[in-house]
PDB file of all heavy atoms in Angstrom:
ATOM      1  N   ARG A   1       1.439  -2.089 -14.804  1.00  0.00           N
ATOM      2  CA  ARG A   1       1.427  -0.665 -15.470  1.00  0.00           C
ATOM      3  C   ARG A   1       0.227  -0.304 -16.030  1.00  0.00           C
ATOM      4  O   ARG A   1      -0.432  -1.217 -16.599  1.00  0.00           O
ATOM      5  CB  ARG A   1       2.607  -0.641 -16.343  1.00  0.00           C
ATOM      6  CG  ARG A   1       4.081  -0.636 -15.955  1.00  0.00           C
ATOM      7  CD  ARG A   1       4.934  -0.503 -17.038  1.00  0.00           C
ATOM      8  NE  ARG A   1       6.176   0.116 -16.669  1.00  0.00           N
ATOM      9  CZ  ARG A   1       7.144   0.343 -17.405  1.00  0.00           C
ATOM     10  NH1 ARG A   1       7.056  -0.004 -18.629  1.00  0.00           N
ATOM     11  NH2 ARG A   1       8.287   0.856 -16.910  1.00  0.00           N
ATOM     12  N   GLN A   2      -0.029   0.981 -16.028  1.00  0.00           N
ATOM     13  CA  GLN A   2      -1.297   1.486 -16.687  1.00  0.00           C
ATOM     14  C   GLN A   2      -0.982   1.490 -18.242  1.00  0.00           C
ATOM     15  O   GLN A   2       0.098   1.960 -18.712  1.00  0.00           O
ATOM     16  CB  GLN A   2      -1.780   2.707 -16.121  1.00  0.00           C
ATOM     17  CG  GLN A   2      -2.913   3.329 -16.801  1.00  0.00           C
ATOM     18  CD  GLN A   2      -4.130   2.564 -16.303  1.00  0.00           C
ATOM     19  OE1 GLN A   2      -4.286   2.183 -15.144  1.00  0.00           O
ATOM     20  NE2 GLN A   2      -5.013   2.215 -17.118  1.00  0.00           N
ATOM     21  N   GLY A   3      -1.916   0.935 -18.978  1.00  0.00           N
ATOM     22  CA  GLY A   3      -1.709   1.099 -20.475  1.00  0.00           C
ATOM     23  C   GLY A   3      -1.697   2.441 -20.968  1.00  0.00           C
ATOM     24  O   GLY A   3      -2.154   3.422 -20.318  1.00  0.00           O
ATOM     25  N   LYS A   4      -1.270   2.686 -22.342  1.00  0.00           N
ATOM     26  CA  LYS A   4      -1.223   4.068 -22.890  1.00  0.00           C
ATOM     27  C   LYS A   4      -2.618   4.647 -23.133  1.00  0.00           C
ATOM     28  O   LYS A   4      -2.764   5.804 -22.913  1.00  0.00           O
ATOM     29  CB  LYS A   4      -0.617   3.796 -24.327  1.00  0.00           C
ATOM     30  CG  LYS A   4       0.829   3.611 -24.313  1.00  0.00           C
ATOM     31  CD  LYS A   4       1.420   3.682 -25.707  1.00  0.00           C
ATOM     32  CE  LYS A   4       2.900   3.535 -25.681  1.00  0.00           C
ATOM     33  NZ  LYS A   4       3.438   3.511 -27.196  1.00  0.00           N
ATOM     34  N   HIS A   5      -3.582   3.790 -23.397  1.00  0.00           N
ATOM     35  CA  HIS A   5      -4.998   4.359 -23.640  1.00  0.00           C
ATOM     36  C   HIS A   5      -5.900   4.177 -22.477  1.00  0.00           C
ATOM     37  O   HIS A   5      -6.993   4.544 -22.672  1.00  0.00           O
ATOM     38  CB  HIS A   5      -5.367   3.714 -24.996  1.00  0.00           C
ATOM     39  CG  HIS A   5      -4.536   3.950 -26.172  1.00  0.00           C
ATOM     40  ND1 HIS A   5      -4.270   5.197 -26.686  1.00  0.00           N
ATOM     41  CD2 HIS A   5      -3.745   3.056 -26.750  1.00  0.00           C
ATOM     42  CE1 HIS A   5      -3.395   5.049 -27.620  1.00  0.00           C
ATOM     43  NE2 HIS A   5      -3.072   3.776 -27.793  1.00  0.00           N
ATOM     44  N   ASN A   6      -5.609   3.577 -21.379  1.00  0.00           N
ATOM     45  CA  ASN A   6      -6.369   3.379 -20.257  1.00  0.00           C
ATOM     46  C   ASN A   6      -7.579   2.555 -20.635  1.00  0.00           C
ATOM     47  O   ASN A   6      -8.683   2.653 -19.881  1.00  0.00           O
ATOM     48  CB  ASN A   6      -6.872   4.697 -19.633  1.00  0.00           C
ATOM     49  CG  ASN A   6      -5.844   5.368 -18.774  1.00  0.00           C
ATOM     50  OD1 ASN A   6      -4.875   4.757 -18.399  1.00  0.00           O
ATOM     51  ND2 ASN A   6      -6.153   6.667 -18.516  1.00  0.00           N
ATOM     52  N   LYS A   7      -7.441   1.682 -21.550  1.00  0.00           N
ATOM     53  CA  LYS A   7      -8.688   0.854 -21.975  1.00  0.00           C
ATOM     54  C   LYS A   7      -8.655  -0.434 -21.197  1.00  0.00           C
ATOM     55  O   LYS A   7      -9.827  -0.933 -20.825  1.00  0.00           O
ATOM     56  CB  LYS A   7      -8.579   0.590 -23.522  1.00  0.00           C
ATOM     57  CG  LYS A   7      -8.816   1.861 -24.291  1.00  0.00           C
ATOM     58  CD  LYS A   7      -9.305   1.448 -25.618  1.00  0.00           C
ATOM     59  CE  LYS A   7      -9.627   2.803 -26.274  1.00  0.00           C
ATOM     60  NZ  LYS A   7      -9.925   2.623 -27.751  1.00  0.00           N
ATOM     61  N   HIS A   8      -7.541  -0.947 -20.825  1.00  0.00           N
ATOM     62  CA  HIS A   8      -7.630  -2.161 -20.039  1.00  0.00           C
ATOM     63  C   HIS A   8      -7.464  -1.853 -18.590  1.00  0.00           C
ATOM     64  O   HIS A   8      -6.870  -0.939 -18.159  1.00  0.00           O
ATOM     65  CB  HIS A   8      -6.455  -3.129 -20.443  1.00  0.00           C
ATOM     66  CG  HIS A   8      -5.196  -2.767 -19.916  1.00  0.00           C
ATOM     67  ND1 HIS A   8      -4.357  -1.835 -20.425  1.00  0.00           N
ATOM     68  CD2 HIS A   8      -4.285  -3.339 -18.845  1.00  0.00           C
ATOM     69  CE1 HIS A   8      -3.241  -1.710 -19.705  1.00  0.00           C
ATOM     70  NE2 HIS A   8      -3.208  -2.634 -18.716  1.00  0.00           N
ATOM     71  N   LYS A   9      -8.204  -2.590 -17.756  1.00  0.00           N
ATOM     72  CA  LYS A   9      -8.325  -2.162 -16.265  1.00  0.00           C
ATOM     73  C   LYS A   9      -7.268  -3.080 -15.595  1.00  0.00           C
ATOM     74  O   LYS A   9      -6.971  -4.227 -15.950  1.00  0.00           O
ATOM     75  CB  LYS A   9      -9.686  -2.631 -15.808  1.00  0.00           C
ATOM     76  CG  LYS A   9     -10.811  -1.764 -16.372  1.00  0.00           C
ATOM     77  CD  LYS A   9     -11.939  -1.591 -15.541  1.00  0.00           C
ATOM     78  CE  LYS A   9     -12.841  -0.776 -16.144  1.00  0.00           C
ATOM     79  NZ  LYS A   9     -13.540   0.214 -15.434  1.00  0.00           N
ATOM     80  N   ILE A  10      -6.678  -2.544 -14.601  1.00  0.00           N
ATOM     81  CA  ILE A  10      -5.621  -3.129 -13.786  1.00  0.00           C
ATOM     82  C   ILE A  10      -6.306  -3.924 -12.656  1.00  0.00           C
ATOM     83  O   ILE A  10      -7.256  -3.311 -12.020  1.00  0.00           O
ATOM     84  CB  ILE A  10      -4.681  -2.158 -13.164  1.00  0.00           C
ATOM     85  CG1 ILE A  10      -3.850  -1.538 -14.322  1.00  0.00           C
ATOM     86  CG2 ILE A  10      -3.652  -2.910 -12.171  1.00  0.00           C
ATOM     87  CD1 ILE A  10      -3.028  -0.396 -13.827  1.00  0.00           C
ATOM     88  N   PRO A  11      -6.117  -5.156 -12.424  1.00  0.00           N
ATOM     89  CA  PRO A  11      -6.798  -5.878 -11.192  1.00  0.00           C
ATOM     90  C   PRO A  11      -6.359  -5.092  -9.937  1.00  0.00           C
ATOM     91  O   PRO A  11      -5.273  -4.605  -9.795  1.00  0.00           O
ATOM     92  CB  PRO A  11      -5.994  -7.121 -11.303  1.00  0.00           C
ATOM     93  CG  PRO A  11      -5.384  -7.452 -12.621  1.00  0.00           C
ATOM     94  CD  PRO A  11      -5.203  -6.043 -13.238  1.00  0.00           C
ATOM     95  N   ARG A  12      -7.323  -4.964  -9.042  1.00  0.00           N
ATOM     96  CA  ARG A  12      -7.085  -4.310  -7.868  1.00  0.00           C
ATOM     97  C   ARG A  12      -5.983  -4.700  -6.985  1.00  0.00           C
ATOM     98  O   ARG A  12      -5.412  -3.930  -6.426  1.00  0.00           O
ATOM     99  CB  ARG A  12      -8.394  -4.355  -7.036  1.00  0.00           C
ATOM    100  CG  ARG A  12      -8.416  -3.763  -5.740  1.00  0.00           C
ATOM    101  CD  ARG A  12      -9.182  -2.654  -5.540  1.00  0.00           C
ATOM    102  NE  ARG A  12      -9.154  -1.970  -4.323  1.00  0.00           N
ATOM    103  CZ  ARG A  12      -8.625  -0.901  -4.062  1.00  0.00           C
ATOM    104  NH1 ARG A  12      -8.006  -0.202  -5.009  1.00  0.00           N
ATOM    105  NH2 ARG A  12      -8.704  -0.153  -2.836  1.00  0.00           N
ATOM    106  N   THR A  13      -5.598  -6.070  -7.040  1.00  0.00           N
ATOM    107  CA  THR A  13      -4.460  -6.494  -6.345  1.00  0.00           C
ATOM    108  C   THR A  13      -3.113  -6.100  -6.982  1.00  0.00           C
ATOM    109  O   THR A  13      -2.243  -6.303  -6.221  1.00  0.00           O
ATOM    110  CB  THR A  13      -4.550  -8.091  -6.293  1.00  0.00           C
ATOM    111  OG1 THR A  13      -4.557  -8.565  -7.614  1.00  0.00           O
ATOM    112  CG2 THR A  13      -5.771  -8.613  -5.583  1.00  0.00           C
ATOM    113  N   ARG A  14      -3.074  -5.583  -8.211  1.00  0.00           N
ATOM    114  CA  ARG A  14      -1.967  -5.134  -8.784  1.00  0.00           C
ATOM    115  C   ARG A  14      -1.703  -3.612  -8.709  1.00  0.00           C
ATOM    116  O   ARG A  14      -0.765  -3.097  -9.296  1.00  0.00           O
ATOM    117  CB  ARG A  14      -1.964  -5.671 -10.196  1.00  0.00           C
ATOM    118  CG  ARG A  14      -1.938  -7.081 -10.396  1.00  0.00           C
ATOM    119  CD  ARG A  14      -0.481  -7.644 -10.155  1.00  0.00           C
ATOM    120  NE  ARG A  14      -0.299  -9.004 -10.572  1.00  0.00           N
ATOM    121  CZ  ARG A  14       0.194  -9.471 -11.650  1.00  0.00           C
ATOM    122  NH1 ARG A  14       0.485  -8.680 -12.675  1.00  0.00           N
ATOM    123  NH2 ARG A  14       0.190 -10.727 -11.869  1.00  0.00           N
ATOM    124  N   THR A  15      -2.616  -2.924  -8.075  1.00  0.00           N
ATOM    125  CA  THR A  15      -2.394  -1.396  -7.978  1.00  0.00           C
ATOM    126  C   THR A  15      -1.373  -1.043  -6.920  1.00  0.00           C
ATOM    127  O   THR A  15      -0.976  -1.836  -6.056  1.00  0.00           O
ATOM    128  CB  THR A  15      -3.685  -0.723  -7.609  1.00  0.00           C
ATOM    129  OG1 THR A  15      -4.059  -1.191  -6.222  1.00  0.00           O
ATOM    130  CG2 THR A  15      -4.794  -1.064  -8.520  1.00  0.00           C
ATOM    131  N   VAL A  16      -0.751   0.118  -7.087  1.00  0.00           N
ATOM    132  CA  VAL A  16       0.296   0.562  -6.193  1.00  0.00           C
ATOM    133  C   VAL A  16      -0.208   0.563  -4.704  1.00  0.00           C
ATOM    134  O   VAL A  16       0.606   0.012  -3.818  1.00  0.00           O
ATOM    135  CB  VAL A  16       0.912   1.985  -6.445  1.00  0.00           C
ATOM    136  CG1 VAL A  16       1.856   2.550  -5.412  1.00  0.00           C
ATOM    137  CG2 VAL A  16       1.467   1.886  -7.947  1.00  0.00           C
ATOM    138  N   VAL A  17      -1.348   1.017  -4.413  1.00  0.00           N
ATOM    139  CA  VAL A  17      -1.869   1.104  -2.963  1.00  0.00           C
ATOM    140  C   VAL A  17      -2.027  -0.197  -2.524  1.00  0.00           C
ATOM    141  O   VAL A  17      -1.744  -0.517  -1.262  1.00  0.00           O
ATOM    142  CB  VAL A  17      -3.256   1.920  -3.039  1.00  0.00           C
ATOM    143  CG1 VAL A  17      -3.849   1.908  -1.747  1.00  0.00           C
ATOM    144  CG2 VAL A  17      -3.007   3.413  -3.449  1.00  0.00           C
ATOM    145  N   SER A  18      -2.747  -1.127  -3.213  1.00  0.00           N
ATOM    146  CA  SER A  18      -2.889  -2.670  -2.707  1.00  0.00           C
ATOM    147  C   SER A  18      -1.733  -3.305  -2.436  1.00  0.00           C
ATOM    148  O   SER A  18      -1.459  -3.922  -1.385  1.00  0.00           O
ATOM    149  CB  SER A  18      -3.796  -3.324  -3.830  1.00  0.00           C
ATOM    150  OG  SER A  18      -4.010  -4.595  -3.312  1.00  0.00           O
ATOM    151  N   VAL A  19      -0.748  -3.156  -3.414  1.00  0.00           N
ATOM    152  CA  VAL A  19       0.596  -3.844  -3.231  1.00  0.00           C
ATOM    153  C   VAL A  19       1.261  -3.299  -1.947  1.00  0.00           C
ATOM    154  O   VAL A  19       1.840  -4.064  -1.117  1.00  0.00           O
ATOM    155  CB  VAL A  19       1.493  -3.766  -4.492  1.00  0.00           C
ATOM    156  CG1 VAL A  19       2.938  -4.268  -4.160  1.00  0.00           C
ATOM    157  CG2 VAL A  19       0.886  -4.566  -5.624  1.00  0.00           C
ATOM    158  N   ARG A  20       1.240  -2.093  -1.701  1.00  0.00           N
ATOM    159  CA  ARG A  20       1.984  -1.385  -0.460  1.00  0.00           C
ATOM    160  C   ARG A  20       1.266  -1.814   0.693  1.00  0.00           C
ATOM    161  O   ARG A  20       1.884  -2.164   1.704  1.00  0.00           O
ATOM    162  CB  ARG A  20       1.887  -0.016  -0.689  1.00  0.00           C
ATOM    163  CG  ARG A  20       2.978   0.548  -1.559  1.00  0.00           C
ATOM    164  CD  ARG A  20       3.096   2.090  -1.461  1.00  0.00           C
ATOM    165  NE  ARG A  20       4.145   2.509  -2.432  1.00  0.00           N
ATOM    166  CZ  ARG A  20       4.303   3.857  -2.660  1.00  0.00           C
ATOM    167  NH1 ARG A  20       3.659   4.754  -2.012  1.00  0.00           N
ATOM    168  NH2 ARG A  20       5.308   4.252  -3.428  1.00  0.00           N
ATOM    169  N   GLU A  21      -0.120  -1.964   0.661  1.00  0.00           N
ATOM    170  CA  GLU A  21      -0.765  -2.489   1.955  1.00  0.00           C
ATOM    171  C   GLU A  21      -0.600  -3.850   2.334  1.00  0.00           C
ATOM    172  O   GLU A  21      -0.392  -4.079   3.425  1.00  0.00           O
ATOM    173  CB  GLU A  21      -2.379  -2.113   1.668  1.00  0.00           C
ATOM    174  CG  GLU A  21      -2.837  -0.692   1.887  1.00  0.00           C
ATOM    175  CD  GLU A  21      -4.224  -0.496   1.617  1.00  0.00           C
ATOM    176  OE1 GLU A  21      -4.989  -1.389   1.551  1.00  0.00           O
ATOM    177  OE2 GLU A  21      -4.634   0.622   1.636  1.00  0.00           O
ATOM    178  N   CYS A  22      -0.495  -4.589   1.142  1.00  0.00           N
ATOM    179  CA  CYS A  22      -0.129  -6.151   1.402  1.00  0.00           C
ATOM    180  C   CYS A  22       1.248  -6.257   1.784  1.00  0.00           C
ATOM    181  O   CYS A  22       1.498  -7.183   2.728  1.00  0.00           O
ATOM    182  CB  CYS A  22      -0.472  -6.923   0.138  1.00  0.00           C
ATOM    183  SG  CYS A  22      -2.303  -6.986  -0.310  1.00  0.00           S
ATOM    184  N   LEU A  23       2.124  -5.532   1.359  1.00  0.00           N
ATOM    185  CA  LEU A  23       3.541  -5.557   1.834  1.00  0.00           C
ATOM    186  C   LEU A  23       3.693  -5.231   3.302  1.00  0.00           C
ATOM    187  O   LEU A  23       4.352  -5.947   3.980  1.00  0.00           O
ATOM    188  CB  LEU A  23       4.336  -4.710   0.874  1.00  0.00           C
ATOM    189  CG  LEU A  23       5.854  -4.634   1.180  1.00  0.00           C
ATOM    190  CD1 LEU A  23       6.464  -5.963   0.721  1.00  0.00           C
ATOM    191  CD2 LEU A  23       6.406  -3.431   0.366  1.00  0.00           C
ATOM    192  N   LEU A  24       2.974  -4.119   3.678  1.00  0.00           N
ATOM    193  CA  LEU A  24       3.020  -3.796   5.044  1.00  0.00           C
ATOM    194  C   LEU A  24       2.421  -4.755   5.987  1.00  0.00           C
ATOM    195  O   LEU A  24       2.946  -5.152   7.078  1.00  0.00           O
ATOM    196  CB  LEU A  24       2.254  -2.503   5.226  1.00  0.00           C
ATOM    197  CG  LEU A  24       2.412  -1.772   6.648  1.00  0.00           C
ATOM    198  CD1 LEU A  24       3.993  -1.439   6.875  1.00  0.00           C
ATOM    199  CD2 LEU A  24       1.530  -0.567   6.646  1.00  0.00           C
ATOM    200  N   ALA A  25       1.373  -5.324   5.532  1.00  0.00           N
ATOM    201  CA  ALA A  25       0.679  -6.557   6.321  1.00  0.00           C
ATOM    202  C   ALA A  25       1.703  -7.719   6.433  1.00  0.00           C
ATOM    203  O   ALA A  25       1.775  -8.335   7.503  1.00  0.00           O
ATOM    204  CB  ALA A  25      -0.580  -6.970   5.549  1.00  0.00           C
ATOM    205  N   ASP A  26       2.402  -8.045   5.289  1.00  0.00           N
ATOM    206  CA  ASP A  26       3.218  -9.207   5.374  1.00  0.00           C
ATOM    207  C   ASP A  26       4.523  -8.857   6.355  1.00  0.00           C
ATOM    208  O   ASP A  26       4.878  -9.686   7.138  1.00  0.00           O
ATOM    209  CB  ASP A  26       3.949  -9.365   3.990  1.00  0.00           C
ATOM    210  CG  ASP A  26       2.969 -10.070   3.019  1.00  0.00           C
ATOM    211  OD1 ASP A  26       1.774 -10.426   3.523  1.00  0.00           O
ATOM    212  OD2 ASP A  26       3.345 -10.155   1.796  1.00  0.00           O
ATOM    213  N   LEU A  27       4.982  -7.617   6.307  1.00  0.00           N
ATOM    214  CA  LEU A  27       6.040  -7.323   7.182  1.00  0.00           C
ATOM    215  C   LEU A  27       5.581  -7.288   8.626  1.00  0.00           C
ATOM    216  O   LEU A  27       6.336  -7.661   9.564  1.00  0.00           O
ATOM    217  CB  LEU A  27       6.661  -5.872   6.930  1.00  0.00           C
ATOM    218  CG  LEU A  27       7.449  -5.746   5.554  1.00  0.00           C
ATOM    219  CD1 LEU A  27       7.655  -4.348   5.112  1.00  0.00           C
ATOM    220  CD2 LEU A  27       8.750  -6.560   5.704  1.00  0.00           C
ATOM    221  N   LEU A  28       4.310  -6.821   8.898  1.00  0.00           N
ATOM    222  CA  LEU A  28       3.997  -6.789  10.346  1.00  0.00           C
ATOM    223  C   LEU A  28       3.426  -8.126  10.888  1.00  0.00           C
ATOM    224  O   LEU A  28       3.060  -8.221  12.006  1.00  0.00           O
ATOM    225  CB  LEU A  28       2.841  -5.741  10.483  1.00  0.00           C
ATOM    226  CG  LEU A  28       3.258  -4.311  10.301  1.00  0.00           C
ATOM    227  CD1 LEU A  28       2.131  -3.325  10.254  1.00  0.00           C
ATOM    228  CD2 LEU A  28       4.148  -3.970  11.542  1.00  0.00           C
ATOM    229  N   TYR A  29       3.195  -9.150   9.998  1.00  0.00           N
ATOM    230  CA  TYR A  29       2.497 -10.344  10.409  1.00  0.00           C
ATOM    231  C   TYR A  29       3.206 -10.968  11.738  1.00  0.00           C
ATOM    232  O   TYR A  29       4.589 -10.903  11.715  1.00  0.00           O
ATOM    233  CB  TYR A  29       2.627 -11.470   9.273  1.00  0.00           C
ATOM    234  CG  TYR A  29       1.866 -12.660   9.646  1.00  0.00           C
ATOM    235  CD1 TYR A  29       0.515 -12.755   9.348  1.00  0.00           C
ATOM    236  CD2 TYR A  29       2.533 -13.724  10.188  1.00  0.00           C
ATOM    237  CE1 TYR A  29      -0.176 -13.859   9.725  1.00  0.00           C
ATOM    238  CE2 TYR A  29       1.829 -14.954  10.506  1.00  0.00           C
ATOM    239  CZ  TYR A  29       0.526 -14.966  10.298  1.00  0.00           C
ATOM    240  OH  TYR A  29      -0.211 -16.114  10.610  1.00  0.00           O
ATOM    241  N   PRO A  30       2.646 -11.387  12.726  1.00  0.00           N
ATOM    242  CA  PRO A  30       1.144 -11.677  12.890  1.00  0.00           C
ATOM    243  C   PRO A  30       0.366 -10.625  13.533  1.00  0.00           C
ATOM    244  O   PRO A  30      -0.808 -10.774  13.930  1.00  0.00           O
ATOM    245  CB  PRO A  30       1.228 -12.898  13.834  1.00  0.00           C
ATOM    246  CG  PRO A  30       2.394 -12.564  14.687  1.00  0.00           C
ATOM    247  CD  PRO A  30       3.352 -11.853  13.763  1.00  0.00           C
ATOM    248  N   VAL A  31       0.877  -9.426  13.431  1.00  0.00           N
ATOM    249  CA  VAL A  31       0.056  -8.222  14.037  1.00  0.00           C
ATOM    250  C   VAL A  31      -0.766  -7.536  12.974  1.00  0.00           C
ATOM    251  O   VAL A  31      -0.262  -7.315  11.895  1.00  0.00           O
ATOM    252  CB  VAL A  31       1.051  -7.300  14.717  1.00  0.00           C
ATOM    253  CG1 VAL A  31       0.273  -6.003  15.275  1.00  0.00           C
ATOM    254  CG2 VAL A  31       1.876  -7.907  15.759  1.00  0.00           C
ATOM    255  N   ASP A  32      -1.843  -7.145  13.325  1.00  0.00           N
ATOM    256  CA  ASP A  32      -2.907  -6.438  12.230  1.00  0.00           C
ATOM    257  C   ASP A  32      -2.650  -5.070  12.549  1.00  0.00           C
ATOM    258  O   ASP A  32      -2.553  -4.467  13.554  1.00  0.00           O
ATOM    259  CB  ASP A  32      -4.309  -6.859  12.475  1.00  0.00           C
ATOM    260  CG  ASP A  32      -4.501  -8.369  12.013  1.00  0.00           C
ATOM    261  OD1 ASP A  32      -3.740  -8.795  11.137  1.00  0.00           O
ATOM    262  OD2 ASP A  32      -5.296  -8.954  12.655  1.00  0.00           O
ATOM    263  N   VAL A  33      -2.991  -4.255  11.361  1.00  0.00           N
ATOM    264  CA  VAL A  33      -3.029  -2.751  11.434  1.00  0.00           C
ATOM    265  C   VAL A  33      -4.494  -2.408  11.833  1.00  0.00           C
ATOM    266  O   VAL A  33      -5.357  -2.932  11.327  1.00  0.00           O
ATOM    267  CB  VAL A  33      -2.773  -2.191   9.977  1.00  0.00           C
ATOM    268  CG1 VAL A  33      -3.082  -0.681   9.932  1.00  0.00           C
ATOM    269  CG2 VAL A  33      -1.375  -2.475   9.573  1.00  0.00           C
ATOM    270  N   VAL A  34      -4.665  -1.503  12.887  1.00  0.00           N
ATOM    271  CA  VAL A  34      -6.029  -1.131  13.384  1.00  0.00           C
ATOM    272  C   VAL A  34      -6.330   0.325  12.934  1.00  0.00           C
ATOM    273  O   VAL A  34      -7.395   0.570  13.128  1.00  0.00           O
ATOM    274  CB  VAL A  34      -6.175  -1.415  14.895  1.00  0.00           C
ATOM    275  CG1 VAL A  34      -6.062  -2.807  15.194  1.00  0.00           C
ATOM    276  CG2 VAL A  34      -5.081  -0.620  15.671  1.00  0.00           C
ATOM    277  N   GLY A  35      -5.370   1.097  12.547  1.00  0.00           N
ATOM    278  CA  GLY A  35      -5.720   2.358  12.208  1.00  0.00           C
ATOM    279  C   GLY A  35      -4.640   3.026  11.284  1.00  0.00           C
ATOM    280  O   GLY A  35      -3.436   2.564  11.338  1.00  0.00           O
ATOM    281  N   ARG A  36      -4.977   4.087  10.557  1.00  0.00           N
ATOM    282  CA  ARG A  36      -4.053   4.710   9.690  1.00  0.00           C
ATOM    283  C   ARG A  36      -4.309   6.198   9.700  1.00  0.00           C
ATOM    284  O   ARG A  36      -5.452   6.678   9.744  1.00  0.00           O
ATOM    285  CB  ARG A  36      -4.025   4.295   8.255  1.00  0.00           C
ATOM    286  CG  ARG A  36      -3.874   2.840   7.975  1.00  0.00           C
ATOM    287  CD  ARG A  36      -4.100   2.497   6.481  1.00  0.00           C
ATOM    288  NE  ARG A  36      -4.352   1.118   6.329  1.00  0.00           N
ATOM    289  CZ  ARG A  36      -3.298   0.356   5.911  1.00  0.00           C
ATOM    290  NH1 ARG A  36      -2.078   0.803   5.790  1.00  0.00           N
ATOM    291  NH2 ARG A  36      -3.566  -1.020   5.833  1.00  0.00           N
ATOM    292  N   ARG A  37      -3.263   7.029   9.693  1.00  0.00           N
ATOM    293  CA  ARG A  37      -3.479   8.618   9.629  1.00  0.00           C
ATOM    294  C   ARG A  37      -2.526   8.996   8.567  1.00  0.00           C
ATOM    295  O   ARG A  37      -1.340   8.609   8.540  1.00  0.00           O
ATOM    296  CB  ARG A  37      -3.224   9.117  10.961  1.00  0.00           C
ATOM    297  CG  ARG A  37      -3.965   8.672  12.075  1.00  0.00           C
ATOM    298  CD  ARG A  37      -5.438   9.220  11.974  1.00  0.00           C
ATOM    299  NE  ARG A  37      -6.237   8.903  13.076  1.00  0.00           N
ATOM    300  CZ  ARG A  37      -6.946   7.743  12.996  1.00  0.00           C
ATOM    301  NH1 ARG A  37      -7.047   6.907  12.009  1.00  0.00           N
ATOM    302  NH2 ARG A  37      -7.832   7.483  14.097  1.00  0.00           N
ATOM    303  N   TRP A  38      -3.013   9.837   7.732  1.00  0.00           N
ATOM    304  CA  TRP A  38      -2.124  10.630   6.717  1.00  0.00           C
ATOM    305  C   TRP A  38      -2.069  12.024   7.068  1.00  0.00           C
ATOM    306  O   TRP A  38      -3.154  12.601   7.329  1.00  0.00           O
ATOM    307  CB  TRP A  38      -2.640  10.352   5.284  1.00  0.00           C
ATOM    308  CG  TRP A  38      -2.505   8.889   4.879  1.00  0.00           C
ATOM    309  CD1 TRP A  38      -1.446   8.295   4.341  1.00  0.00           C
ATOM    310  CD2 TRP A  38      -3.507   7.898   4.830  1.00  0.00           C
ATOM    311  NE1 TRP A  38      -1.782   7.020   3.969  1.00  0.00           N
ATOM    312  CE2 TRP A  38      -3.166   6.776   4.424  1.00  0.00           C
ATOM    313  CE3 TRP A  38      -4.823   7.857   5.541  1.00  0.00           C
ATOM    314  CZ2 TRP A  38      -3.811   5.610   4.327  1.00  0.00           C
ATOM    315  CZ3 TRP A  38      -5.539   6.844   5.257  1.00  0.00           C
ATOM    316  CH2 TRP A  38      -5.041   5.657   4.844  1.00  0.00           C
ATOM    317  N   ARG A  39      -0.805  12.583   7.094  1.00  0.00           N
ATOM    318  CA  ARG A  39      -0.743  14.032   7.182  1.00  0.00           C
ATOM    319  C   ARG A  39       0.072  14.580   6.045  1.00  0.00           C
ATOM    320  O   ARG A  39       1.145  14.201   5.659  1.00  0.00           O
ATOM    321  CB  ARG A  39       0.153  14.293   8.501  1.00  0.00           C
ATOM    322  CG  ARG A  39       0.275  15.765   8.685  1.00  0.00           C
ATOM    323  CD  ARG A  39       1.119  16.013   9.955  1.00  0.00           C
ATOM    324  NE  ARG A  39       0.178  15.897  11.026  1.00  0.00           N
ATOM    325  CZ  ARG A  39       0.603  15.617  12.390  1.00  0.00           C
ATOM    326  NH1 ARG A  39       1.943  15.492  12.505  1.00  0.00           N
ATOM    327  NH2 ARG A  39      -0.168  15.450  13.217  1.00  0.00           N
ATOM    328  N   HIS A  40      -0.567  15.545   5.289  1.00  0.00           N
ATOM    329  CA  HIS A  40      -0.120  16.153   4.188  1.00  0.00           C
ATOM    330  C   HIS A  40       0.536  17.509   4.604  1.00  0.00           C
ATOM    331  O   HIS A  40      -0.136  18.334   5.155  1.00  0.00           O
ATOM    332  CB  HIS A  40      -1.100  16.473   3.048  1.00  0.00           C
ATOM    333  CG  HIS A  40      -1.716  15.179   2.650  1.00  0.00           C
ATOM    334  ND1 HIS A  40      -1.243  14.518   1.509  1.00  0.00           N
ATOM    335  CD2 HIS A  40      -2.804  14.423   2.984  1.00  0.00           C
ATOM    336  CE1 HIS A  40      -1.913  13.451   1.261  1.00  0.00           C
ATOM    337  NE2 HIS A  40      -2.857  13.327   2.145  1.00  0.00           N
ATOM    338  N   LYS A  41       1.859  17.577   4.433  1.00  0.00           N
ATOM    339  CA  LYS A  41       2.568  18.794   5.036  1.00  0.00           C
ATOM    340  C   LYS A  41       2.526  19.991   3.967  1.00  0.00           C
ATOM    341  O   LYS A  41       2.333  19.593   2.740  1.00  0.00           O
ATOM    342  CB  LYS A  41       4.028  18.488   5.397  1.00  0.00           C
ATOM    343  CG  LYS A  41       4.116  17.420   6.425  1.00  0.00           C
ATOM    344  CD  LYS A  41       5.463  17.133   6.759  1.00  0.00           C
ATOM    345  CE  LYS A  41       5.475  16.142   8.032  1.00  0.00           C
ATOM    346  NZ  LYS A  41       6.730  15.789   8.373  1.00  0.00           N
TER     347      LYS A  41
END
């Protein structure tokens, strides 16, 4: 979680984006992700 005053930094491996990417990599193992596309509707 981000602190109230934003003074302490969150380790990169604990951010939402990083955790989601690692979770996806775990679910897809042994296949690697070779590309991503985002579409904002």
